[in-house]
Amino acid sequence: MLARWGSTLYVHRKLTLVLSALAVVASIVSIIAGGASLSSSGFIDDASESARVQRTLAETFGRGQESLVYLIDADGPVADPAVRARVEKALAPLANDPRVARLLTTWNTGNPRMVSGDGDSTYAVALLALDEDRVGEELASLNALIEEPAAAAGLRVSVSGGGAIGDAIGTEVAEGIARAESISIPLTILIQLVVFGGLVAAGVPLLVGALAIVGTLAVVFALSQIGLQSVFATNVVIMLGLGLGIDYSLFMIARFREEIRSRPVDEAVAVAMATVGKAILFSGVTVIFALAASQFFPLPALRSMGQSGMIVVALALVYGLTFLPALLATLGPRINAIPIGVPARLRRSGDRRTVDVDGEEGGFWHAVAQAVMRRPLAVLMPVLVALLVAGIPFLRLDLTPGGPEVLPPDSAPRLTNERLDREFAAGESDPIPVILTAADGNALSAASIAALQTWVEEVVAVPEVDRVDTFVSGSGEAGRAVDWSAYTGDPATLPPAVQQVVGERVRGATVFAEVVTPQSGEAIEAVVRDLRAVDPAGFEVAVGGFAASSVDTIDGIRAGVAPAVIFVIVGSYLILLVTFGSVFLPLKAIFMTLLSISASLGAVVLVFQDGYLSGLLGFEAGDIISTTPILMFCILFGLSMDYEVLMLARIQEEYQRTGDNTASVAFGLERTAKTITGAAAIMIVVFGGFMLADIVIIKSMGFGLALAVLIDATIVRGLLVPATMRLMGRWNWWAPTAIRRLVDRLGLTHGEVRASALPWETRPVIEHS
């Protein structure tokens, strides 16, 4: 099937190249004309309780989902009338800006806890009338509204809060990507020059990767105009596009250069497509299938990253199976042009060492293959035990959705946030918002007010709750001074101060309350769960805020793990079953993949949670970002299967030719090891480049992926897989007759292709032993 496709591409190679060029031009035009509207949000389940609270605050109470906290340092006590006047004058432009729904200060809330312990500092909370994605666009101009008058008044201002922290994370991510690209791309070129020994052969894989990346960015940017697309999706696109585009090209070029030694160009293209092309096709489908597991999780940002990954892998396949063979057909022997580092005496076109980059007789990998074949059990047991032990720390994984702690230690929003925690009463700047909906439809009815007072009493009794702010309770005295049992239901009969509070906190049947707790981290998440356990008669209660979104995020991720893993395992098994016509090879492949993933995730826990190497890598240890293990699993499962399929395809091809399992395993290892090692080295460089980012989200992802690829391409692929296959013997290839017939009927075996004549004139024959 693919041999016939290869022959078609040979005939229409020029047309294929022209169409590919037009596709790239169209993608670039689309990117420039349409622009991007990528979001740093999307890490909350839209259907979760915390998300419902956010929407109610925005739609019913006019409060956006974000706030900014301005920390103001004065040269004297802020209680001094002159200092207060300067502070309020500096805040006035911000308070009057339409983008600010309300500006909360120690004076207009009557809350003395908004003043620092030494009395010389205070903070103001700007409740924004902006959605999350607009905060970054407006942040600089909002800050300017207070910074300029504050400087004129001799005040110092710094900013934190969700909006500032989110913007800082987005900036750090962008800078980290740019830094990674500046290092990884030159090193990638250098590795390809070493692997291929030729400038042309080294440049072609980069071209395929670039085509996939540009095309995917055009699609992602277009989708961002109609729905949420995460800014972090660009990370996934660049990592996978560059890595897999190069990866697939390496194998295709290596096989083409091997075949062109003894065949005409047209036959070499057909054979490369029928063997490596088929392996690449099923490898890519497996990677896409693994990335599809991200759709089982309720976070829009995570789904966006998974979708972007699937698109870039699909385009890497499209260009790898169209543009690449057409380009090879056009270049022919010129793929070996401009050799680098090859002695002149080896540059004869017929010299095997000039073109055989897919392994050779003798050399390091030959020695490894022979050693593993001689003592498979002695190799298998210690390697298996080591990987199992390496995965044990993963059992201690602690997740967090991330906050200011993911920023570099010298980040301004993080430093400001730490000062707020250290110098002010805990919990005041970020209380837990709660929405209560009256069952009788009127939050100011006598029954609803009585139910609200009962709820306040129960919540205050919750451990670690300091205060509950509603119109009947809170830091002010007005609401508590009212005899609510005598209230007639007419707000006009209430004192003016209470009317103001009611106007701020009541909308029909809905009451907005805030719970103040000094706790943070896991402790405040426990408070959220306790608040949700309070179930008063007369009100439906929904708890929101950052801590509640953390609880919802982690609960949503945990709920999606089991179906995602089952989906990937079952789907991958079926794909590999059809690919190789074997019952046991897919089971072995899945087990090896899970083994390498667990070992790498165990290392991530040791390094980024426990703090080993924190000084060397420049970060502070803490809980693992909740999306990191999910993305690592999806990406690594696909990549591991990628190497597995490409290696097993060569082994099966030799086994069907000779019928000798031991020799075929050794041959497959020898012939693919160098290319797999080169591809893995490029992946390690691409992923490892992200370790240069200052933000721990990107750093931990880069570390985990780079380490996993290293383990998979060396220990697993070089030792564990061949040792296991040597011990399994002919059972590697066993399958019921019905499955074998199905695979043969579909033409999906990886046998040797004979092309004694031009492939479009004579149908290629698959040999079976």
Side-chain angles (χ1 to χ4, degrees), residues 98-419:
R99 295 169 293 181
V100 178
R102 191 181 177 205
L103 188 69
L104 306 179
T105 69
T106 182
W107 300 292
N108 64 19
T109 62
N111 187 355
R113 296 188 177 190
M114 296 177 74
V115 177
S116 63
D118 64 7
D120 291 344
S121 302
T122 186
Y123 65 84
V125 180
L127 305 175
L128 303 179
L130 301 171
D131 60 39
E132 192 172 0
D133 293 329
R134 283 194 60 201
V135 174
E137 301 172 6
E138 305 290 345
L139 183 61
S141 61
L142 285 170
N143 290 345
L145 291 176
I146 184 175
E147 288 171 348
E148 295 174 6
L155 305 171
R156 297 182 303 279
V157 178
S158 56
V159 62
S160 186
I165 291 169
D167 181 72
I169 290 175
T171 301
E172 289 289 344
V173 168
E175 293 177 353
I177 292 174
R179 192 178 300 124
E181 291 173 345
S182 67
I183 298 297
S184 61
I185 292 178
L187 287 178
T188 295
I189 296 173
L190 180 61
I191 293 172
Q192 291 189 172
L193 289 173
V194 172
V195 171
F196 284 118
L199 193 59
V200 173
V204 170
L206 276 177
L207 190 56
V208 175
L211 292 175
I213 290 171
V214 171
T216 303
L217 291 178
V219 175
V220 171
F221 288 4
L223 292 175
S224 72
Q225 305 299 326
I226 59 176
L228 186 144
Q229 289 296 319
S230 175
V231 66
F232 297 101
T234 57
N235 296 14
V236 177
V237 169
I238 293 171
M239 284 194 298
L240 290 181
L242 194 60
L244 285 178
I246 293 173
D247 196 16
Y248 295 153
S249 300
L250 281 174
F251 283 91
M252 183 71 76
I253 294 171
R255 186 59 184 261
F256 176 75
R257 296 175 79 186
E258 178 183 341
E259 296 298 331
I260 207 174
R261 295 198 322 268
S262 56
R263 302 179 189 269
V265 173
D266 52 354
E267 293 184 10
V269 171
V271 172
M273 286 293 289
T275 53
V276 174
K278 191 176 297 180
I280 287 173
L281 174 61
F282 283 98
S283 169
V285 171
T286 307
V287 175
I288 292 172
F289 208 86
L291 289 168
S294 62
Q295 307 309 296
F296 283 90
F297 299 94
L299 307 185
L302 185 57
R303 289 178 174 177
S304 167
M305 288 183 268
Q307 291 160 9
S308 300
M310 288 188 281
I311 294 170
V312 78
V313 174
L315 287 182
L317 274 181
V318 169
Y319 284 116
L321 297 177
T322 56
F323 169 81
L324 178 58
L327 183 60
L328 294 177
T330 302
L331 290 172
R334 289 173 293 179
I335 190 67
N336 298 314
I338 317 179
I340 303 294
V342 180
R345 62 186 178 83
L346 296 180
R347 294 182 186 174
R348 299 186 304 275
S349 61
D351 196 305
R352 183 173 186 266
R353 286 169 292 178
T354 307
V355 298
D356 187 5
V357 298
D358 202 26
E360 65 267 350
E361 296 178 4
F364 174 76
W365 288 111
H366 176 79
V368 170
Q370 295 305 313
V372 173
M373 293 303 102
R374 283 195 300 269
R375 298 180 179 84
L377 197 60
V379 172
L380 175 66
M381 294 311 297
V383 172
L384 187 61
V385 170
L387 290 177
L388 288 171
V389 171
I392 291 176
F394 179 57
L395 300 176
R396 298 187 287 101
L397 176 70
D398 291 324
L399 298 177
T400 176
E405 71 278 0
V406 307
L407 290 168
D410 59 351
S411 171
R414 175 175 176 173
L415 292 172
T416 302
N417 192 78
E418 290 172 349
R419 280 194 60 196

Side-chain angles (χ1 to χ4, degrees), residues 588-653:
K588 187 267 309 174
I590 290 170
F591 175 73
M592 300 295 179
T593 297
L594 294 176
L595 202 59
S596 63
I597 291 175
S598 66
S600 60
L601 286 172
V604 168
V605 171
L606 282 176
V607 173
F608 290 92
Q609 182 173 302
D610 297 343
Y612 294 97
L613 303 180
S614 59
L616 177 64
L617 298 179
F619 67 92
E620 292 184 2
D623 291 348
I624 305 301
I625 305 302
S626 54
T627 54
T628 298
I630 303 304
L631 279 176
M632 282 187 61
F633 172 80
C634 294
I635 293 173
L636 291 177
F637 199 98
L639 292 182
S640 181
M641 285 298 178
D642 175 47
Y643 294 141
E644 183 84 12
V645 169
L646 291 167
M647 180 177 177
L648 290 182
R650 198 63 192 267
I651 293 174
Q652 186 185 52
E653 182 183 338

Side-chain angles (χ1 to χ4, degrees), residues 9 40 59 113 119 126 140 148 188 258 393 399 406 454 456 484 489 504 542 560 597 681-682 721:
L9 289 173
S40 60
E59 298 168 4
R113 296 188 177 190
E148 295 174 6
T188 295
E258 178 183 341
L399 298 177
V406 307
T454 300
V456 169
W484 291 102
E504 294 171 354
I597 291 175
I682 291 170
V721 170

Side-chain angles (χ1 to χ4, degrees), residues 647-690:
M647 180 177 177
L648 290 182
R650 198 63 192 267
I651 293 174
Q652 186 185 52
E653 182 183 338
E654 183 67 10
Y655 178 75
Q656 291 178 335
R657 189 180 69 84
T658 66
D660 187 331
N661 178 76
T662 300
S664 298
V665 172
F667 178 86
L669 173 60
E670 291 178 39
R671 303 294 284 186
T672 61
K674 185 174 180 179
T675 307
I676 287 179
T677 303
I682 291 170
M683 288 294 226
I684 291 169
V685 166
V686 172
F687 293 149
F690 288 88

